[in-house]
Amino acid sequence: MLLKVRGLSKSFDGLQAVSGVDFDLPQGEVRALIGPNGAGKTTLVGMICGRIAPTSGTVTFDGEDITRLPAHKRILKGMAYTFQITSIFPRLPVQENVALAARRRLQGRAVEAAAAEALGRVGLKAQADEDAGNLSYGHQRLLEIAMGLVQAPRLLILDEPTQGLSEGEIEAFKALIRALAGETTILLIEHNMKVVMETADTVSVLNFGEMLAEGTPQQIHENADVQAAYLGTG
């Protein structure tokens, strides 16, 4: 099991954001994490990637307890996380943004080659020389994905990646996820249910900080509790 979460909880000033979550993510799987706004998804992912310290519980990555490991050290272990709010360097060219991320694992000409490949995969090769801040919001999200991909992560965590993308870009994103499925493990936090249903192997549903259900996209779609809590058909 690549990622194992046990009893993970987080409270902020007495408010229980995440409560006793158990979560297993096998290597090579595309897992979608869904739930209503305020369900605790971003808090849970923040604890997994090391940006939020849990109140209790453990996070294990590839057999190692990383619960107290800071975020930058988790990156070195093979985790990459794209933010719900873009975290690019707006005054640097698109290519240089990706190259900076690539230098965490590569040197010399290999950096340029890897950056170019990553930009090609997300459809931004033509924008390589533009300042990142001049990109549309949707293209900035794609740039973030390229910055994650170029690190060759073992676990790629994508937080609302299709927000701001056009229909055509969403179709390209779905194709990218399908292509990546054999290369890396993906944890996808996503509100677009069409994207979830068409790309995920397994779906985990968070509600009021607790794990409500897990299953295949079809099982989740047919789950009465999920329909009532999230899909709006209950």
Side-chain angles (χ1 to χ4, degrees), residues 34 193 197 217 220-223 225-234:
I34 69 170
M193 290 309 298
M197 294 297 166
I220 292 301
H221 185 70
E222 295 170 356
N223 185 300
D225 291 335
V226 175
Q227 289 174 2
Y230 184 52
L231 299 180
T233 56

Side-chain angles (χ1 to χ4, degrees), residues 47-161:
M47 290 188 286
I48 289 171
C49 73
R51 296 189 179 276
I52 297 173
T55 305
S56 60
T58 59
V59 179
T60 304
F61 187 65
D62 198 21
E64 179 184 352
D65 186 339
I66 60 166
T67 310
R68 303 300 165 195
L69 208 62
H72 69 276
K73 290 192 175 176
R74 297 188 197 199
I75 290 171
L76 295 175
K77 299 221 172 258
M79 250 186 217
Y81 172 51
T82 68
F83 293 92
Q84 192 173 16
I85 301 169
T86 54
S87 58
I88 61 169
F89 299 97
R91 295 184 181 180
L92 292 179
V94 167
Q95 171 92 8
E96 186 56 28
N97 270 265
V98 183
L100 282 171
R103 288 188 188 108
R104 287 174 173 156
R105 69 179 185 96
L106 299 170
Q107 294 179 334
R109 291 186 179 179
V111 170
E112 290 182 19
E117 182 188 358
L119 286 173
R121 295 193 81 170
V122 302
L124 290 180
K125 213 164 188 177
Q127 288 84 7
D129 295 327
E130 285 186 36
D131 284 352
N134 293 338
L135 296 180
S136 68
Y137 179 76
H139 281 178
Q140 288 182 14
R141 301 313 312 273
L142 292 174
L143 173 56
E144 267 212 319
I145 294 171
M147 292 166 69
L149 285 179
V150 80
Q151 297 172 55
R154 301 182 64 199
L155 172 61
L156 179 62
I157 303 173
L158 302 173
D159 197 348
E160 301 288 354

Side-chain angles (χ1 to χ4, degrees), residues 5-20:
V5 166
R6 288 293 177 270
L8 210 58
S9 300
K10 181 64 181 181
S11 58
F12 297 98
D13 298 324
L15 175 67
Q16 196 72 27
V18 174
S19 180

